[in-house]
Amino acid sequence: MLGGFSFNHLIYLLDGLVWTVVLSALAFLLGGVAGFFVMLCRISRFLWLRRAALIYIQIVQGTPLLIQMFILYFGLGVINISVPPLVAAGLGMMIYSSSYLGEIWRGSVESISRTQFEAAECLGLTRWQALRDVILPQALRIATPPTVGFLVQLVKNTSLASVVGFLELTRAAQVINNSLFQPFLVFGIAALLYFALCYPLSVWSRSLERKLNVGRR
Amino acid sequence: MQYQFDFSALLPYWSDFLSGALVTIEITVFSVIIGLLIGVACAIARRSTIGPLRTLVSTYVEAVRNTPFIVQIFFIFFGLSSVGIRLPIIAAAVFAMVINVGAYTAEIVRAGMDSIHPSQIEAAEALGLSKLQIYRDIILLPAIERVYPALSSQFILMMLSTSIASQISAEELTGVANNIQSNTFRSLETYMVVAVLYIAITYLMRAGFYGLGLIAFPRRRRLGTSL
């Protein structure tokens, strides 16, 4: 007996949407902290640290997120660590977002003219002071639009957490579709919910780009 | 507890890994070529004077760019089969890929076209170039040349997303890996090998795009794309 799509199904999807938002926020916060360190390593004075960060980025950006999720999922399994799906999915998303955010922020920092660094040095600021008080405030302006833009990628990619059994929006849609088999309707609603989440971010990113006038300096 | 890595169990499957990698490359090449054409057409349409056409194209681009690939693939594959259209799995995967590549390419190429200064077009008009010549030689080709690095990294990202086609059991690299790990029970090892293969394909593509850039845009050799 195939029932129709009911109010309860919608509640189930919205519940999944909440978990999508939670996972996205977690990935952004943790990935942001890790990404900041990746950025620091990439602009470090030590060659080995720069190299290590570059290798990390090339590995993460050279493999699909799906494979990273699988490696993490089975990897945690074989060393007998049982973690809740949220932690496993969050960890996977953190690694993914740290590499991309690290590169975005490195680009922003490096787009600040070298003379700024040199001037700060002449004023007797330490390297950390120069970064904190001179470079980062300027880089923030440049980094904001692409960071918001990346948030869209992040929200969309949380959908891959569904493959390791994390019950977010995509997984919820799959579960409902398995019982109803009305894929156009169920996945259509899921797509609409994702769109409702991502589209404002896209628009915001574009308006920030115009407002901060990064393109035409 | 110490985990014993055992890659030897995977040895009998080496040809399966390679054929999976080949399918991944084939899907990518095919959808990049078709998607590029669609994307350029959409980028041109977004600059047209026909309002409804502009709206239609930007709806397509925004819809695709703001929803996850996995949901799109499920929508297409399960959706079509629910109304009785049984698409082969690979065809459904390629279809979803083409739609995606088209939308992302459209946005990147449009950004490139917007970056062409109006004075360039005025100069071309003053020189008496035809409309077609202006579009081809002054707007489109220089725009693509300018966004070539962004385009090639987008295409590499798209290659990585083909892995999602494994969720409708397409036999590309990740799909093959799913089969192998359920035969051998060496899940971690299987996916580590696959990760290395993906990195190899990424490098292959970067080298390919770099070479293509040298051939296609000899004027600005240093622009190419970074290796």
Side-chain angles (χ1 to χ4, degrees):
Chain A
M1 277 297 146
L2 290 181
F5 188 85
S6 72
F7 186 66
N8 284 339
H9 291 122
L10 190 63
I11 297 291
Y12 194 66
L13 281 181
L14 288 177
D15 199 41
L17 181 70
V18 171
W19 284 107
T20 290
V21 174
V22 170
L23 186 59
S24 307
L26 198 71
F28 181 65
L29 291 178
L30 295 178
V33 173
F36 188 75
F37 280 104
V38 171
M39 181 271 283
L40 286 183
C41 291
R42 284 282 274 144
I43 60 168
S44 149
R45 258 175 305 183
F46 306 110
L47 183 66
W48 64 272
L49 208 54
R50 288 204 302 270
R51 282 237 175 99
L54 184 66
I55 290 170
Y56 171 76
I57 286 167
Q58 301 227 308
I59 288 175
V60 177
Q61 297 195 355
T63 53
L65 178 59
L66 198 61
I67 297 294
Q68 293 163 24
M69 289 273 189
F70 281 139
I71 288 179
L72 197 76
Y73 181 67
F74 291 110
L76 288 174
V78 296
I79 49 173
N80 271 339
I81 301 176
S82 76
V83 288
L86 177 64
V87 178
L91 206 62
M93 292 297 297
M94 178 189 102
I95 292 171
Y96 164 81
S97 59
S98 71
S99 84
Y100 282 91
L101 286 175
E103 275 298 86
I104 290 172
W105 293 341
R106 177 190 65 87
S108 314
V109 165
E110 282 182 353
S111 71
I112 304 297
S113 163
R114 280 217 64 79
T115 52
Q116 296 278 327
F117 245 122
E118 285 158 11
E121 232 167 69
C122 290
L123 288 170
L125 289 139
T126 66
R127 210 177 145 78
W128 172 244
Q129 280 174 328
L131 196 66
R132 194 192 56 193
D133 297 330
V134 180
I135 305 296
L136 286 185
Q138 300 182 69
L140 193 67
R141 244 175 91 89
I142 297 166
T144 309
T147 304
V148 174
F150 177 72
L151 266 177
V152 177
Q153 305 297 320
L154 201 61
V155 173
K156 285 195 302 177
N157 280 329
T158 56
S159 62
L160 295 187
S162 62
V163 300
V164 292
F166 182 68
L167 204 123
E168 38 65 73
L169 183 50
T170 303
R171 185 96 195 105
Q174 265 179 296
V175 170
I176 295 175
N177 184 50
N178 284 345
S179 69
L180 295 182
F181 204 63
Q182 292 182 325
F184 275 137
L185 180 71
V186 177
F187 290 118
I189 293 174
L192 272 180
L193 290 175
Y194 275 111
F195 187 81
L197 215 56
C198 294
Y199 187 63
L201 287 173
S202 304
V203 173
W204 187 27
S205 164
R206 266 198 298 265
S207 80
L208 278 173
E209 223 159 280
R210 265 197 308 275
K211 228 181 284 173
L212 301 178
N213 211 10
V214 179
R216 300 178 221 291
R217 275 149 44 99
Chain B
M1 202 193 88
Q2 196 65 43
Y3 181 71
Q4 293 291 323
F5 278 100
D6 177 17
F7 286 97
S8 62
L10 301 177
L11 271 178
Y13 294 95
W14 68 271
S15 64
D16 292 10
F17 278 118
L18 283 190
S19 71
L22 206 64
V23 173
T24 291
I25 294 173
E26 281 167 2
I27 294 177
T28 309
V29 169
F30 185 78
S31 41
V32 158
I33 292 172
I34 307 289
L36 184 66
L37 296 177
I38 293 177
V40 169
C42 287
I44 293 172
R46 277 184 104 171
R47 290 167 63 93
S48 87
T49 45
I50 310 161
L53 185 65
R54 277 204 313 268
T55 318
L56 189 74
V57 169
S58 64
T59 309
Y60 155 65
V61 171
E62 294 298 338
V64 170
R65 279 164 46 91
N66 288 296
T67 49
F69 187 52
I70 192 169
V71 174
Q72 294 165 9
I73 256 190
F74 286 157
F75 187 82
I76 290 169
F77 183 65
F78 295 121
L80 286 181
S81 71
S82 78
V83 293
I85 305 171
R86 283 230 158 262
L87 229 52
I89 290 172
I90 286 292
V94 168
F95 184 41
M97 275 286 286
V98 166
I99 289 175
N100 265 269
V101 176
Y104 283 95
T105 305
E107 193 62 14
I108 295 173
V109 171
R110 190 183 63 103
M113 286 160 107
D114 286 350
S115 78
I116 303 291
H117 201 275
S119 63
Q120 295 271 328
I121 298 162
E122 284 159 17
E125 273 165 3
L127 286 171
L129 267 67
S130 73
K131 269 228 154 6
L132 183 72
Q133 279 176 322
I134 293 178
Y135 228 104
R136 197 189 55 202
D137 297 330
I138 310 298
I139 302 177
L140 197 55
L141 288 179
I144 291 180
E145 183 172 345
R146 211 172 275 187
V147 296
Y148 186 69
L151 269 183
S152 42
S153 28
Q154 186 62 48
F155 291 155
I156 289 171
L157 280 179
M158 296 311 300
M159 181 275 290
L160 295 177
S161 345
T162 57
S163 65
I164 294 167
S166 66
Q167 293 305 302
I168 54 169
S169 48
E171 295 281 298
E172 41 67 67
L173 188 45
T174 306
V176 165
N178 289 343
N179 293 339
I180 293 174
Q181 66 101 11
S182 63
N183 286 342
T184 59
F185 302 109
R186 311 307 301 187
S187 322
L188 190 54
E189 288 91 335
T190 306
Y191 290 117
M192 284 165 83
V193 169
V194 167
V196 171
L197 285 173
Y198 271 111
I199 292 174
I201 300 176
T202 304
Y203 271 89
L204 207 70
M205 278 184 77
R206 270 199 226 164
F209 279 120
Y210 184 77
L212 211 62
L214 292 186
I215 297 166
F217 309 117
R219 214 150 46 87
R220 289 201 210 168
R221 275 172 196 279
R222 61 213 154 72
L223 231 164
T225 172
S226 58
L227 259 177

